[in-house]
């Protein structure tokens, strides 16, 4: 963590331990650094898994293998390598992943397909097999570590460690969710993004865990962007150990399923917001709410066009209520919009209404709102009932400094 | 022109005058500045017109009216207001445009529909009718001005005046094209972008002029991007006075039509390159060539995904041959690609071939290439015969400085 801590950082929360889940962190030395960079999480027998992955067609071997194996629904271990994404490394990269799966599976006496591997860092350099082998060897006999240490160990350009937690009552049983995530740049999830890991002691069927995760993803990770670039390695995995002893959740018909799905969504939204708060160079956290759209998906696309617009993001960085740039972004989104029905506001104050600047528009409260760290942009398309909120950060000199120097 | 001149600037070329075309420049005072900001170009009777316009659905009244009137194919005058885009100004904006058309048409004794108006600058402020009326009044009796003065007068955040010229032989007759353009930010043409005006003395049928312009647009303005933002006001118009006296060009079957179409394309490409060279904050001019794609259009889309990626653009700004970011951009483009067939190079040197970093990759010549002002990125997808070249600039601190301060 060599960059200054984001001004939008949140302190690491007190994450409860999850029965059946044991994190470890060691140093494999993937880069020439003193920090730990290999995270190894063991999962008790009976743990089930669900996942969402990047849609980038140049994805890493880790994503290809994980996407295939998550369908089996069973997991015994998670390995995360930081400092090397092992993406675009062809058969040599794949061999490194398979070596790690084999080494861990042999130790645990489980199937290779129950070992999930992620890697993050520079693209195009095969993960060094010797370092991976020695790192895993250390990890297999390491003492457990804290959630915060695990969150620090999966990070690369992140400036603070990120975690979230939630609980839900399933019948009389409290189930607990603890989750960590890394991500700061190359953030524009098409389906999922970044590396995020969600652990719960709930007893839940694999198909329903996948259903909850996929639904939560659509309203969290798929609604954030830092820089419109979609990573080759993005992965969010959810693991459920079943140790809470609740009656297993099989579908939304199961008692407590709604509460559990809401808790998963809550955690995903917390994690997604933390990634935006650590967006490279971010000085302001921006929520864009679009209403009156033809559909919810149309509202999300218009919101993302605004959230991805460098001219909107630099205007917010400059604390300029430049709603003309918001008009431009709405218009280029490729979604139904009618210039003469469009209303735009900041911080809850309309600046333009139904296609015209407001005659009595008072910029003072808007200017005050834009000086804060949390900025909202409201857009009403005046067409239908669709709505969505998406989140992004401003575009500042910090983004340029970080990315014109760092080789990711 | 308050920003420092782009290091990629080109001197204004010697543009020949075009028989039947007379430019004038006056100061309407749309902003509180000393420079001229109203361009008025008269066109002799018989001049025909073609145009391409922004696809932004929140377009200005100027674009709506121009798009409708260009279908009539006849033009007698062009008016360009700089400093106010008159976009998102509802009926009040429309009234200002109609006032200008009426005032000029009355003076020239032509139809209102033969007067074309463009405006560029801040969005959301209705063009002040009193300033427009007084400005037009001055323009109607002004002395002709040079092409360079006209090019300066249509500019806003541009740091240098931009023009291009070409000639073609049609039978024994030389026809001449002179053109000017403005544009620097909010540049991501979906169909056309910026304000560009092309004047020729060729005799040509309106439908064929439109065909030439549309075709040229696809390989010029539609292949550039500065910041992925598409303006509300972008317009490129081509005017042909017929004064050269050549046998009229009606289709590609007409003698000399190929040469004329090539000259139009040549001018459009020159203009498009000049806009990229004045991209806000640009320090480097980047050509991205994609080969081996499923189709030419697929190649163009992959090229634009690379050219729009902030991570690729900041890498080039940092003179970093970070081909991993190019891989990422290829993968997110949504076009057919196969990671293990992908090759990537800079300045003609392959860094990665068929999905693997080259074992004997020598970064020294690539590093030297990236230190220059003109950078090339080569991508071979290894799939088919489709190819395209697109152009962009790097993303630097200058872009942030310009856009976090200036209200556009």
């Amino acid at each position: 963590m060599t960059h200054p801590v984001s001004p939008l950082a949140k302190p690491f929360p007190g994450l409860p331990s999850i029965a059946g889940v044991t994190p470890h962190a060691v140093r494999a030395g993937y880069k020439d650094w003193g920090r730990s960079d290999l995270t190894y999480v063991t999962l008790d027998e009976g743990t089930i898994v669900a996942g969402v992955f990047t849609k980038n067609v140049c994805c890493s071997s880790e994503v290809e293998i994980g996407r295939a194996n998550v369908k089996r629904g069973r997991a015994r271990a998670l390995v995360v390598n930081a400092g090397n994404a092992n993406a675009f490394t062809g058969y040599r990269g794949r061999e490194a992943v398979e070596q790690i799966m084999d080494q861990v599976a042999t130790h645990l006496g489980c199937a290779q397909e129950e070992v999930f591997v992620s890697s993050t860092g520079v693209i195009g350099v095969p993960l060094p097999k010797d370092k991976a082998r020695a790192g895993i060897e250390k990890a297999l006999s390491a003492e457990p570590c804290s959630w915060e240490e695990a969150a620090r160990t999966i990070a690369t350009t992140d400036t603070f460690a990120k975690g979230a937690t939630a609980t839900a009552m399933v019948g009389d049983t409290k189930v607990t969710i603890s989750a960590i995530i890394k991500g700061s740049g190359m953030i524009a999830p098409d389906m999922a993004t970044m590396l995020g890991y969600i652990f719960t002691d709930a007893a839940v069927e694999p198909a329903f865990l996948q259903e909850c995760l996929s639904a939560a993803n659509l309203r969290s990770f798929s609604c954030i962007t830092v820089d419109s670039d979609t990573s080759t390695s993005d992965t969010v995995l959810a693991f459920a150990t079943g140790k809470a002893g609740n009656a297993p959740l099989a579908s939304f018909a199961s008692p407590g399923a709604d509460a559990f799905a809401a808790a998963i969504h809550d955690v995903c939204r917390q994690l997604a917001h933390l990634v935006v708060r650590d967006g490279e160079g971010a000085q302001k956290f921006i929520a864009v709410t679009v209403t009156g759209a033809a559909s919810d998906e149309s509202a999300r696309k218009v919101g993302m066009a605004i959230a991805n617009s460098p001219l909107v993001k630099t205007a917010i960085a400059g604390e300029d209520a430049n709603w003309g740039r918001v008009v431009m972004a709405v218009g280029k989104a490729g979604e139904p919009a009618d210039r003469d029905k469009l209303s735009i506001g900041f911080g809850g104050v309309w600046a333009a209404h139904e296609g015209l600047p407001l005659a009595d528009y008072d910029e003072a409260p808007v200017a005050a709102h834009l000086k804060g760290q949390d900025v909202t942009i409201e857009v009403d398309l005046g067409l239908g009932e669709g709505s969505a909120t998406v989140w992004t950060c401003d575009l500042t000199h910090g983004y340029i400094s970080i990315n014109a120097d760092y080789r990711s």
Side-chain angles (χ1 to χ4, degrees), chain A:
Chain A
M1 303 196 184
T2 53
H3 297 293
V5 173
S6 167
L8 307 175
K10 296 277 189 188
F12 196 81
L15 290 200
S17 60
I18 301 294
V21 178
T22 313
H24 316 75
V26 300
R27 185 161 75 84
Y30 290 125
K31 289 180 75 168
D32 185 20
W33 51 17
R35 51 163 277 193
S36 58
D37 55 9
L38 191 158
T39 309
Y40 171 59
V41 183
T42 52
L43 305 158
D44 280 9
E45 272 190 70
T47 298
I48 65 108
V49 62
V52 285
F53 299 89
T54 183
K55 283 186 176 164
N56 192 304
V57 299
C58 292
C59 66
S60 66
S61 291
E62 284 83 341
V63 167
E64 283 183 331
I65 295 171
R67 188 185 279 133
N69 289 343
V70 83
K71 292 180 185 144
R72 298 164 49 101
R74 298 276 159 187
R76 288 297 311 284
L78 167 69
V79 174
V80 184
N81 306 299
N84 184 322
N86 195 38
F88 204 64
T89 53
Y91 68 91
R92 285 188 279 166
R94 194 173 177 98
E95 283 174 0
V97 182
E98 288 169 345
Q99 174 191 289
I100 291 172
M101 293 166 68
D102 180 55
Q103 193 177 356
V104 173
T106 301
H107 178 80
L108 295 178
C110 69
Q112 275 197 25
E113 292 80 2
E114 294 173 332
V115 179
F116 288 81
V117 182
S118 301
S119 302
T120 176
V122 65
I123 295 173
V125 179
L127 192 74
K129 286 202 243 180
D130 52 342
K131 288 184 180 174
R133 181 173 295 283
I136 292 288
E137 201 55 45
K138 258 195 274 188
L140 295 178
S141 58
E143 291 298 309
C145 74
S146 68
W147 282 123
E148 183 166 0
E149 193 176 343
R152 286 192 184 283
T153 304
I154 67 172
T156 54
T157 54
D158 304 62
T159 74
F160 64 94
K162 304 176 188 72
T165 182
T167 59
M169 291 305 294
V170 177
D172 293 336
T173 310
K174 185 173 92 167
V175 302
T176 304
I177 303 168
S178 287
I180 57 175
I181 198 162
K182 65 85 53 179
S184 182
M186 206 178 276
I187 300 291
D190 190 10
M191 171 163 182
T193 194
M194 320 140 300
L195 301 183
Y197 306 102
I198 300 165
F199 304 92
T200 177
D201 54 9
V204 47
E205 295 291 328
F208 185 63
L209 184 62
Q210 183 68 53
E211 184 178 346
C212 291
L213 181 64
S214 295
N217 170 58
L218 286 182
R219 293 190 291 151
S220 56
F221 305 118
S222 293
C223 290
I224 65 170
T225 182
V226 169
D227 55 8
S228 80
D229 276 339
T230 302
S231 157
T232 49
S233 309
D234 301 335
T235 298
V236 175
L237 293 170
F239 302 96
T241 63
K243 298 285 181 186
N246 58 288
L249 298 164
S251 75
F252 275 107
S254 305
D258 286 326
F260 177 73
I264 290 282
H265 176 231
D266 186 23
V267 162
C268 287
R269 196 187 56 240
Q270 289 183 57
L271 295 176
H273 285 195
L274 288 170
V275 170
V276 171
R277 287 187 171 276
D278 205 7
E280 290 171 339
Q283 300 281 327
K284 292 178 191 290
F285 180 85
I286 307 168
V288 182
T289 298
V290 178
T291 54
S295 68
D296 288 352
E297 179 57 14
S298 181
R300 190 187 72 85
K301 285 182 179 166
V302 170
M304 290 297 271
I306 296 166
N308 274 324
S309 161
L311 288 172
V312 171
K313 292 156 82 92
T314 48
I316 300 299
E319 302 180 347
D320 174 11
N322 193 319
W323 52 267
R325 294 185 185 177
V326 179
V327 173
M328 175 279 300
V330 170
K332 74 165 183 167
E335 291 297 312
D338 180 338
R339 184 190 63 199
D340 297 333
K341 291 182 177 167
L342 181 58
S343 302
I344 292 169
F346 297 91
V349 178
W350 292 120
H353 188 59
E354 295 186 351
L356 277 174
L358 277 184
D360 58 351
Y361 170 49
D362 177 7
E363 196 163 328
V366 171
H369 173 73
L370 290 181
K371 288 197 188 305
Q373 280 188 337
D374 284 273
V375 170
T376 67
I377 301 176
E378 294 86 26
V379 172
D380 190 274
L381 300 179
L383 296 178
E385 298 297 315
S387 68
T389 297
V390 305
W391 300 276
T392 190
C393 54
D394 54 344
L395 175 58
T396 70
H397 286 289
Y399 185 85
I400 308 294
S401 298
I402 291 168
N403 287 300
D405 302 336
Y406 172 77
R407 172 167 287 199
S408 71

